[in-house]
PDB file of all heavy atoms in Angstrom:
ATOM      1  N   TRP A   1     -12.044  13.922  -0.631  1.00 96.00           N
ATOM      2  CA  TRP A   1     -12.375  13.062  -1.790  1.00 96.00           C
ATOM      3  C   TRP A   1     -12.644  11.674  -1.207  1.00 96.00           C
ATOM      4  O   TRP A   1     -11.887  10.750  -1.379  1.00 96.00           O
ATOM      5  CB  TRP A   1     -11.215  13.050  -2.778  1.00 96.00           C
ATOM      6  CG  TRP A   1     -11.527  12.402  -4.086  1.00 96.00           C
ATOM      7  CD1 TRP A   1     -12.725  11.892  -4.496  1.00 96.00           C
ATOM      8  CD2 TRP A   1     -10.613  12.178  -5.168  1.00 96.00           C
ATOM      9  NE1 TRP A   1     -12.626  11.364  -5.759  1.00 96.00           N
ATOM     10  CE2 TRP A   1     -11.345  11.523  -6.192  1.00 96.00           C
ATOM     11  CE3 TRP A   1      -9.273  12.456  -5.354  1.00 96.00           C
ATOM     12  CZ2 TRP A   1     -10.737  11.156  -7.398  1.00 96.00           C
ATOM     13  CZ3 TRP A   1      -8.682  12.086  -6.557  1.00 96.00           C
ATOM     14  CH2 TRP A   1      -9.409  11.452  -7.565  1.00 96.00           C
ATOM     15  N   GLN A   2     -13.793  11.583  -0.522  1.00 95.00           N
ATOM     16  CA  GLN A   2     -14.043  10.430   0.332  1.00 95.00           C
ATOM     17  C   GLN A   2     -14.095   9.111  -0.433  1.00 95.00           C
ATOM     18  O   GLN A   2     -13.562   8.100   0.038  1.00 95.00           O
ATOM     19  CB  GLN A   2     -15.353  10.623   1.113  1.00 95.00           C
ATOM     20  CG  GLN A   2     -15.301  11.731   2.153  1.00 95.00           C
ATOM     21  CD  GLN A   2     -15.914  13.024   1.657  1.00 95.00           C
ATOM     22  OE1 GLN A   2     -15.891  13.310   0.464  1.00 95.00           O
ATOM     23  NE2 GLN A   2     -16.482  13.810   2.561  1.00 95.00           N
ATOM     24  N   SER A   3     -14.740   9.092  -1.574  1.00 96.00           N
ATOM     25  CA  SER A   3     -14.862   7.831  -2.306  1.00 96.00           C
ATOM     26  C   SER A   3     -13.486   7.302  -2.701  1.00 96.00           C
ATOM     27  O   SER A   3     -13.225   6.095  -2.622  1.00 96.00           O
ATOM     28  CB  SER A   3     -15.729   8.024  -3.554  1.00 96.00           C
ATOM     29  OG  SER A   3     -15.173   9.003  -4.425  1.00 96.00           O
ATOM     30  N   ASN A   4     -12.592   8.186  -3.103  1.00 97.00           N
ATOM     31  CA  ASN A   4     -11.266   7.754  -3.528  1.00 97.00           C
ATOM     32  C   ASN A   4     -10.446   7.236  -2.359  1.00 97.00           C
ATOM     33  O   ASN A   4      -9.827   6.163  -2.458  1.00 97.00           O
ATOM     34  CB  ASN A   4     -10.535   8.922  -4.195  1.00 97.00           C
ATOM     35  CG  ASN A   4      -9.220   8.492  -4.818  1.00 97.00           C
ATOM     36  OD1 ASN A   4      -9.190   7.683  -5.738  1.00 97.00           O
ATOM     37  ND2 ASN A   4      -8.123   9.033  -4.328  1.00 97.00           N
ATOM     38  N   ILE A   5     -10.432   7.955  -1.241  1.00 97.00           N
ATOM     39  CA  ILE A   5      -9.604   7.524  -0.111  1.00 97.00           C
ATOM     40  C   ILE A   5     -10.135   6.216   0.475  1.00 97.00           C
ATOM     41  O   ILE A   5      -9.351   5.353   0.913  1.00 97.00           O
ATOM     42  CB  ILE A   5      -9.499   8.628   0.961  1.00 97.00           C
ATOM     43  CG1 ILE A   5      -8.289   8.370   1.875  1.00 97.00           C
ATOM     44  CG2 ILE A   5     -10.765   8.750   1.782  1.00 97.00           C
ATOM     45  CD1 ILE A   5      -6.958   8.525   1.211  1.00 97.00           C
ATOM     46  N   LEU A   6     -11.459   6.029   0.464  1.00 97.00           N
ATOM     47  CA  LEU A   6     -12.020   4.757   0.926  1.00 97.00           C
ATOM     48  C   LEU A   6     -11.558   3.609   0.042  1.00 97.00           C
ATOM     49  O   LEU A   6     -11.155   2.540   0.529  1.00 97.00           O
ATOM     50  CB  LEU A   6     -13.547   4.823   0.955  1.00 97.00           C
ATOM     51  CG  LEU A   6     -14.178   5.621   2.099  1.00 97.00           C
ATOM     52  CD1 LEU A   6     -15.676   5.786   1.852  1.00 97.00           C
ATOM     53  CD2 LEU A   6     -13.936   4.962   3.444  1.00 97.00           C
ATOM     54  N   LEU A   7     -11.613   3.802  -1.268  1.00 97.00           N
ATOM     55  CA  LEU A   7     -11.171   2.759  -2.195  1.00 97.00           C
ATOM     56  C   LEU A   7      -9.690   2.440  -2.019  1.00 97.00           C
ATOM     57  O   LEU A   7      -9.277   1.277  -2.051  1.00 97.00           O
ATOM     58  CB  LEU A   7     -11.435   3.183  -3.645  1.00 97.00           C
ATOM     59  CG  LEU A   7     -12.850   2.952  -4.176  1.00 97.00           C
ATOM     60  CD1 LEU A   7     -13.022   3.615  -5.532  1.00 97.00           C
ATOM     61  CD2 LEU A   7     -13.140   1.452  -4.284  1.00 97.00           C
ATOM     62  N   LEU A   8      -8.876   3.478  -1.828  1.00 98.00           N
ATOM     63  CA  LEU A   8      -7.437   3.259  -1.674  1.00 98.00           C
ATOM     64  C   LEU A   8      -7.137   2.458  -0.409  1.00 98.00           C
ATOM     65  O   LEU A   8      -6.291   1.550  -0.423  1.00 98.00           O
ATOM     66  CB  LEU A   8      -6.706   4.595  -1.641  1.00 98.00           C
ATOM     67  CG  LEU A   8      -6.713   5.400  -2.942  1.00 98.00           C
ATOM     68  CD1 LEU A   8      -5.932   6.697  -2.777  1.00 98.00           C
ATOM     69  CD2 LEU A   8      -6.149   4.593  -4.112  1.00 98.00           C
ATOM     70  N   ILE A   9      -7.814   2.772   0.684  1.00 98.00           N
ATOM     71  CA  ILE A   9      -7.590   2.029   1.923  1.00 98.00           C
ATOM     72  C   ILE A   9      -8.040   0.579   1.769  1.00 98.00           C
ATOM     73  O   ILE A   9      -7.368  -0.353   2.218  1.00 98.00           O
ATOM     74  CB  ILE A   9      -8.311   2.713   3.099  1.00 98.00           C
ATOM     75  CG1 ILE A   9      -7.690   4.088   3.383  1.00 98.00           C
ATOM     76  CG2 ILE A   9      -8.242   1.839   4.357  1.00 98.00           C
ATOM     77  CD1 ILE A   9      -8.429   4.916   4.417  1.00 98.00           C
ATOM     78  N   LYS A  10      -9.186   0.375   1.122  1.00 97.00           N
ATOM     79  CA  LYS A  10      -9.680  -0.981   0.901  1.00 97.00           C
ATOM     80  C   LYS A  10      -8.696  -1.793   0.060  1.00 97.00           C
ATOM     81  O   LYS A  10      -8.361  -2.943   0.389  1.00 97.00           O
ATOM     82  CB  LYS A  10     -11.040  -0.927   0.196  1.00 97.00           C
ATOM     83  CG  LYS A  10     -12.217  -0.499   1.067  1.00 97.00           C
ATOM     84  CD  LYS A  10     -13.435  -0.210   0.204  1.00 97.00           C
ATOM     85  CE  LYS A  10     -14.646   0.215   1.018  1.00 97.00           C
ATOM     86  NZ  LYS A  10     -15.457  -0.936   1.458  1.00 97.00           N
ATOM     87  N   ARG A  11      -8.207  -1.214  -1.044  1.00 97.00           N
ATOM     88  CA  ARG A  11      -7.282  -1.936  -1.925  1.00 97.00           C
ATOM     89  C   ARG A  11      -5.932  -2.177  -1.253  1.00 97.00           C
ATOM     90  O   ARG A  11      -5.322  -3.237  -1.420  1.00 97.00           O
ATOM     91  CB  ARG A  11      -7.061  -1.153  -3.219  1.00 97.00           C
ATOM     92  CG  ARG A  11      -8.265  -1.077  -4.128  1.00 97.00           C
ATOM     93  CD  ARG A  11      -7.926  -0.236  -5.340  1.00 97.00           C
ATOM     94  NE  ARG A  11      -9.101   0.074  -6.136  1.00 97.00           N
ATOM     95  CZ  ARG A  11      -9.291   1.235  -6.759  1.00 97.00           C
ATOM     96  NH1 ARG A  11      -8.371   2.190  -6.693  1.00 97.00           N
ATOM     97  NH2 ARG A  11     -10.382   1.441  -7.468  1.00 97.00           N
ATOM     98  N   ALA A  12      -5.466  -1.178  -0.510  1.00 97.00           N
ATOM     99  CA  ALA A  12      -4.153  -1.297   0.125  1.00 97.00           C
ATOM    100  C   ALA A  12      -4.105  -2.488   1.074  1.00 97.00           C
ATOM    101  O   ALA A  12      -3.051  -3.116   1.243  1.00 97.00           O
ATOM    102  CB  ALA A  12      -3.813  -0.010   0.864  1.00 97.00           C
ATOM    103  N   ASN A  13      -5.223  -2.806   1.687  1.00 97.00           N
ATOM    104  CA  ASN A  13      -5.264  -3.955   2.590  1.00 97.00           C
ATOM    105  C   ASN A  13      -4.916  -5.248   1.864  1.00 97.00           C
ATOM    106  O   ASN A  13      -4.406  -6.193   2.468  1.00 97.00           O
ATOM    107  CB  ASN A  13      -6.658  -4.076   3.207  1.00 97.00           C
ATOM    108  CG  ASN A  13      -6.702  -5.081   4.336  1.00 97.00           C
ATOM    109  OD1 ASN A  13      -6.109  -4.878   5.381  1.00 97.00           O
ATOM    110  ND2 ASN A  13      -7.406  -6.187   4.118  1.00 97.00           N
ATOM    111  N   ARG A  14      -5.158  -5.309   0.567  1.00 96.00           N
ATOM    112  CA  ARG A  14      -4.824  -6.487  -0.240  1.00 96.00           C
ATOM    113  C   ARG A  14      -3.377  -6.451  -0.728  1.00 96.00           C
ATOM    114  O   ARG A  14      -2.695  -7.482  -0.747  1.00 96.00           O
ATOM    115  CB  ARG A  14      -5.772  -6.585  -1.436  1.00 96.00           C
ATOM    116  CG  ARG A  14      -5.435  -7.706  -2.429  1.00 96.00           C
ATOM    117  CD  ARG A  14      -6.535  -7.884  -3.445  1.00 96.00           C
ATOM    118  NE  ARG A  14      -7.752  -8.381  -2.795  1.00 96.00           N
ATOM    119  CZ  ARG A  14      -8.965  -8.350  -3.344  1.00 96.00           C
ATOM    120  NH1 ARG A  14      -9.128  -7.808  -4.546  1.00 96.00           N
ATOM    121  NH2 ARG A  14     -10.008  -8.828  -2.698  1.00 96.00           N
ATOM    122  N   PHE A  15      -2.902  -5.266  -1.113  1.00 97.00           N
ATOM    123  CA  PHE A  15      -1.612  -5.195  -1.798  1.00 97.00           C
ATOM    124  C   PHE A  15      -0.435  -4.804  -0.910  1.00 97.00           C
ATOM    125  O   PHE A  15       0.703  -5.189  -1.194  1.00 97.00           O
ATOM    126  CB  PHE A  15      -1.721  -4.234  -2.982  1.00 97.00           C
ATOM    127  CG  PHE A  15      -2.672  -4.695  -4.042  1.00 97.00           C
ATOM    128  CD1 PHE A  15      -3.862  -4.028  -4.281  1.00 97.00           C
ATOM    129  CD2 PHE A  15      -2.388  -5.819  -4.805  1.00 97.00           C
ATOM    130  CE1 PHE A  15      -4.746  -4.465  -5.263  1.00 97.00           C
ATOM    131  CE2 PHE A  15      -3.262  -6.265  -5.784  1.00 97.00           C
ATOM    132  CZ  PHE A  15      -4.441  -5.587  -6.015  1.00 97.00           C
ATOM    133  N   PHE A  16      -0.661  -4.058   0.160  1.00 98.00           N
ATOM    134  CA  PHE A  16       0.448  -3.689   1.043  1.00 98.00           C
ATOM    135  C   PHE A  16       1.173  -4.913   1.613  1.00 98.00           C
ATOM    136  O   PHE A  16       2.405  -4.906   1.719  1.00 98.00           O
ATOM    137  CB  PHE A  16      -0.038  -2.781   2.173  1.00 98.00           C
ATOM    138  CG  PHE A  16      -0.085  -1.316   1.815  1.00 98.00           C
ATOM    139  CD1 PHE A  16      -0.534  -0.382   2.737  1.00 98.00           C
ATOM    140  CD2 PHE A  16       0.319  -0.859   0.557  1.00 98.00           C
ATOM    141  CE1 PHE A  16      -0.569   0.980   2.421  1.00 98.00           C
ATOM    142  CE2 PHE A  16       0.274   0.493   0.231  1.00 98.00           C
ATOM    143  CZ  PHE A  16      -0.164   1.409   1.177  1.00 98.00           C
ATOM    144  N   PRO A  17       0.451  -5.980   2.019  1.00 97.00           N
ATOM    145  CA  PRO A  17       1.168  -7.146   2.556  1.00 97.00           C
ATOM    146  C   PRO A  17       2.111  -7.800   1.539  1.00 97.00           C
ATOM    147  O   PRO A  17       3.038  -8.511   1.946  1.00 97.00           O
ATOM    148  CB  PRO A  17       0.027  -8.104   2.940  1.00 97.00           C
ATOM    149  CG  PRO A  17      -1.135  -7.211   3.214  1.00 97.00           C
ATOM    150  CD  PRO A  17      -1.016  -6.111   2.200  1.00 97.00           C
ATOM    151  N   VAL A  18       1.888  -7.574   0.265  1.00 97.00           N
ATOM    152  CA  VAL A  18       2.801  -8.088  -0.766  1.00 97.00           C
ATOM    153  C   VAL A  18       4.003  -7.162  -0.914  1.00 97.00           C
ATOM    154  O   VAL A  18       5.156  -7.606  -1.005  1.00 97.00           O
ATOM    155  CB  VAL A  18       2.078  -8.222  -2.122  1.00 97.00           C
ATOM    156  CG1 VAL A  18       3.037  -8.714  -3.203  1.00 97.00           C
ATOM    157  CG2 VAL A  18       0.881  -9.156  -1.998  1.00 97.00           C
ATOM    158  N   ILE A  19       3.754  -5.855  -0.898  1.00 98.00           N
ATOM    159  CA  ILE A  19       4.807  -4.872  -1.145  1.00 98.00           C
ATOM    160  C   ILE A  19       5.747  -4.719   0.045  1.00 98.00           C
ATOM    161  O   ILE A  19       6.973  -4.621  -0.123  1.00 98.00           O
ATOM    162  CB  ILE A  19       4.165  -3.510  -1.497  1.00 98.00           C
ATOM    163  CG1 ILE A  19       3.525  -3.572  -2.877  1.00 98.00           C
ATOM    164  CG2 ILE A  19       5.190  -2.392  -1.451  1.00 98.00           C
ATOM    165  CD1 ILE A  19       2.804  -2.307  -3.264  1.00 98.00           C
ATOM    166  N   GLU A  20       5.211  -4.687   1.245  1.00 98.00           N
ATOM    167  CA  GLU A  20       6.007  -4.358   2.436  1.00 98.00           C
ATOM    168  C   GLU A  20       7.226  -5.264   2.631  1.00 98.00           C
ATOM    169  O   GLU A  20       8.346  -4.758   2.834  1.00 98.00           O
ATOM    170  CB  GLU A  20       5.106  -4.370   3.675  1.00 98.00           C
ATOM    171  CG  GLU A  20       4.140  -3.201   3.719  1.00 98.00           C
ATOM    172  CD  GLU A  20       3.022  -3.366   4.726  1.00 98.00           C
ATOM    173  OE1 GLU A  20       2.834  -4.503   5.231  1.00 98.00           O
ATOM    174  OE2 GLU A  20       2.321  -2.379   5.003  1.00 98.00           O
ATOM    175  N   PRO A  21       7.073  -6.602   2.571  1.00 98.00           N
ATOM    176  CA  PRO A  21       8.272  -7.438   2.767  1.00 98.00           C
ATOM    177  C   PRO A  21       9.297  -7.301   1.649  1.00 98.00           C
ATOM    178  O   PRO A  21      10.502  -7.449   1.892  1.00 98.00           O
ATOM    179  CB  PRO A  21       7.707  -8.866   2.838  1.00 98.00           C
ATOM    180  CG  PRO A  21       6.352  -8.790   2.229  1.00 98.00           C
ATOM    181  CD  PRO A  21       5.850  -7.416   2.480  1.00 98.00           C
ATOM    182  N   ILE A  22       8.837  -6.987   0.439  1.00 98.00           N
ATOM    183  CA  ILE A  22       9.783  -6.801  -0.668  1.00 98.00           C
ATOM    184  C   ILE A  22      10.597  -5.532  -0.457  1.00 98.00           C
ATOM    185  O   ILE A  22      11.824  -5.514  -0.656  1.00 98.00           O
ATOM    186  CB  ILE A  22       9.044  -6.751  -2.022  1.00 98.00           C
ATOM    187  CG1 ILE A  22       8.360  -8.090  -2.307  1.00 98.00           C
ATOM    188  CG2 ILE A  22      10.007  -6.410  -3.160  1.00 98.00           C
ATOM    189  CD1 ILE A  22       7.499  -8.100  -3.546  1.00 98.00           C
ATOM    190  N   LEU A  23       9.938  -4.452  -0.039  1.00 98.00           N
ATOM    191  CA  LEU A  23      10.660  -3.211   0.251  1.00 98.00           C
ATOM    192  C   LEU A  23      11.687  -3.441   1.355  1.00 98.00           C
ATOM    193  O   LEU A  23      12.836  -2.978   1.261  1.00 98.00           O
ATOM    194  CB  LEU A  23       9.679  -2.106   0.656  1.00 98.00           C
ATOM    195  CG  LEU A  23       8.714  -1.598  -0.424  1.00 98.00           C
ATOM    196  CD1 LEU A  23       7.782  -0.542   0.161  1.00 98.00           C
ATOM    197  CD2 LEU A  23       9.469  -1.027  -1.626  1.00 98.00           C
ATOM    198  N   GLU A  24      11.295  -4.176   2.385  1.00 98.00           N
ATOM    199  CA  GLU A  24      12.223  -4.448   3.484  1.00 98.00           C
ATOM    200  C   GLU A  24      13.405  -5.281   3.004  1.00 98.00           C
ATOM    201  O   GLU A  24      14.566  -4.993   3.332  1.00 98.00           O
ATOM    202  CB  GLU A  24      11.487  -5.174   4.618  1.00 98.00           C
ATOM    203  CG  GLU A  24      12.366  -5.443   5.833  1.00 98.00           C
ATOM    204  CD  GLU A  24      11.604  -6.118   6.958  1.00 98.00           C
ATOM    205  OE1 GLU A  24      10.433  -6.507   6.751  1.00 98.00           O
ATOM    206  OE2 GLU A  24      12.190  -6.269   8.050  1.00 98.00           O
ATOM    207  N   GLU A  25      13.110  -6.288   2.213  1.00 98.00           N
ATOM    208  CA  GLU A  25      14.170  -7.156   1.682  1.00 98.00           C
ATOM    209  C   GLU A  25      15.136  -6.380   0.793  1.00 98.00           C
ATOM    210  O   GLU A  25      16.343  -6.640   0.790  1.00 98.00           O
ATOM    211  CB  GLU A  25      13.529  -8.300   0.889  1.00 98.00           C
ATOM    212  CG  GLU A  25      14.508  -9.284   0.294  1.00 98.00           C
ATOM    213  CD  GLU A  25      13.787 -10.358  -0.505  1.00 98.00           C
ATOM    214  OE1 GLU A  25      13.071 -11.168   0.122  1.00 98.00           O
ATOM    215  OE2 GLU A  25      13.920 -10.363  -1.739  1.00 98.00           O
ATOM    216  N   GLN A  26      14.601  -5.401   0.062  1.00 97.00           N
ATOM    217  CA  GLN A  26      15.417  -4.596  -0.849  1.00 97.00           C
ATOM    218  C   GLN A  26      16.105  -3.430  -0.141  1.00 97.00           C
ATOM    219  O   GLN A  26      16.862  -2.684  -0.770  1.00 97.00           O
ATOM    220  CB  GLN A  26      14.540  -4.063  -1.990  1.00 97.00           C
ATOM    221  CG  GLN A  26      14.032  -5.123  -2.937  1.00 97.00           C
ATOM    222  CD  GLN A  26      15.142  -5.742  -3.774  1.00 97.00           C
ATOM    223  OE1 GLN A  26      16.027  -5.043  -4.259  1.00 97.00           O
ATOM    224  NE2 GLN A  26      15.106  -7.056  -3.947  1.00 97.00           N
ATOM    225  N   GLY A  27      15.843  -3.258   1.144  1.00 97.00           N
ATOM    226  CA  GLY A  27      16.490  -2.200   1.900  1.00 97.00           C
ATOM    227  C   GLY A  27      15.894  -0.821   1.688  1.00 97.00           C
ATOM    228  O   GLY A  27      16.586   0.188   1.861  1.00 97.00           O
ATOM    229  N   LEU A  28      14.617  -0.766   1.356  1.00 98.00           N
ATOM    230  CA  LEU A  28      13.938   0.517   1.164  1.00 98.00           C
ATOM    231  C   LEU A  28      13.038   0.844   2.345  1.00 98.00           C
ATOM    232  O   LEU A  28      12.450  -0.062   2.947  1.00 98.00           O
ATOM    233  CB  LEU A  28      13.089   0.504  -0.116  1.00 98.00           C
ATOM    234  CG  LEU A  28      13.737   1.193  -1.330  1.00 98.00           C
ATOM    235  CD1 LEU A  28      14.867   0.332  -1.857  1.00 98.00           C
ATOM    236  CD2 LEU A  28      12.711   1.473  -2.402  1.00 98.00           C
ATOM    237  N   PRO A  29      12.890   2.131   2.671  1.00 98.00           N
ATOM    238  CA  PRO A  29      11.943   2.521   3.732  1.00 98.00           C
ATOM    239  C   PRO A  29      10.516   2.119   3.364  1.00 98.00           C
ATOM    240  O   PRO A  29      10.130   2.131   2.187  1.00 98.00           O
ATOM    241  CB  PRO A  29      12.097   4.047   3.787  1.00 98.00           C
ATOM    242  CG  PRO A  29      13.444   4.330   3.212  1.00 98.00           C
ATOM    243  CD  PRO A  29      13.654   3.283   2.158  1.00 98.00           C
ATOM    244  N   ASP A  30       9.760   1.806   4.386  1.00 98.00           N
ATOM    245  CA  ASP A  30       8.378   1.359   4.206  1.00 98.00           C
ATOM    246  C   ASP A  30       7.501   2.434   3.559  1.00 98.00           C
ATOM    247  O   ASP A  30       6.495   2.115   2.910  1.00 98.00           O
ATOM    248  CB  ASP A  30       7.804   0.961   5.563  1.00 98.00           C
ATOM    249  CG  ASP A  30       6.439   0.309   5.466  1.00 98.00           C
ATOM    250  OD1 ASP A  30       6.346  -0.803   4.926  1.00 98.00           O
ATOM    251  OD2 ASP A  30       5.459   0.921   5.938  1.00 98.00           O
ATOM    252  N   ASP A  31       7.874   3.705   3.706  1.00 98.00           N
ATOM    253  CA  ASP A  31       7.066   4.797   3.149  1.00 98.00           C
ATOM    254  C   ASP A  31       6.856   4.669   1.648  1.00 98.00           C
ATOM    255  O   ASP A  31       5.906   5.255   1.100  1.00 98.00           O
ATOM    256  CB  ASP A  31       7.717   6.152   3.441  1.00 98.00           C
ATOM    257  CG  ASP A  31       7.523   6.600   4.881  1.00 98.00           C
ATOM    258  OD1 ASP A  31       6.840   5.890   5.640  1.00 98.00           O
ATOM    259  OD2 ASP A  31       8.069   7.665   5.244  1.00 98.00           O
ATOM    260  N   PHE A  32       7.720   3.934   0.955  1.00 98.00           N
ATOM    261  CA  PHE A  32       7.602   3.859  -0.497  1.00 98.00           C
ATOM    262  C   PHE A  32       6.373   3.075  -0.959  1.00 98.00           C
ATOM    263  O   PHE A  32       6.001   3.141  -2.130  1.00 98.00           O
ATOM    264  CB  PHE A  32       8.874   3.288  -1.119  1.00 98.00           C
ATOM    265  CG  PHE A  32       9.948   4.321  -1.292  1.00 98.00           C
ATOM    266  CD1 PHE A  32      11.087   4.296  -0.519  1.00 98.00           C
ATOM    267  CD2 PHE A  32       9.796   5.349  -2.212  1.00 98.00           C
ATOM    268  CE1 PHE A  32      12.069   5.267  -0.660  1.00 98.00           C
ATOM    269  CE2 PHE A  32      10.762   6.323  -2.366  1.00 98.00           C
ATOM    270  CZ  PHE A  32      11.907   6.288  -1.593  1.00 98.00           C
ATOM    271  N   LYS A  33       5.716   2.370  -0.047  1.00 98.00           N
ATOM    272  CA  LYS A  33       4.472   1.717  -0.456  1.00 98.00           C
ATOM    273  C   LYS A  33       3.421   2.764  -0.829  1.00 98.00           C
ATOM    274  O   LYS A  33       2.551   2.515  -1.673  1.00 98.00           O
ATOM    275  CB  LYS A  33       3.946   0.803   0.647  1.00 98.00           C
ATOM    276  CG  LYS A  33       3.534   1.513   1.937  1.00 98.00           C
ATOM    277  CD  LYS A  33       3.255   0.511   3.051  1.00 98.00           C
ATOM    278  CE  LYS A  33       2.849   1.193   4.343  1.00 98.00           C
ATOM    279  NZ  LYS A  33       2.728   0.238   5.465  1.00 98.00           N
TER     280      LYS A  33
END
């Protein structure tokens, strides 16, 4: 499902940097992003 996975990777580049430090601060594994 190429169009979907491309969009997800593109969007994740914007939102993962926001989520990752919060998960770490809250003591959750990074996989939850």
Side-chain angles (χ1 to χ4, degrees):
W1 190 3
Q2 292 99 330
S3 59
N4 187 63
I5 199 68
L6 285 170
L7 277 171
L8 293 181
I9 294 173
K10 286 168 180 272
R11 291 178 190 143
N13 191 67
R14 174 171 293 164
F15 296 112
F16 275 179
V18 178
I19 289 177
E20 289 166 347
I22 296 174
L23 293 178
E24 183 178 7
E25 181 182 292
Q26 292 292 318
L28 260 72
D30 188 67
D31 284 357
F32 278 110
K33 64 190 180 187

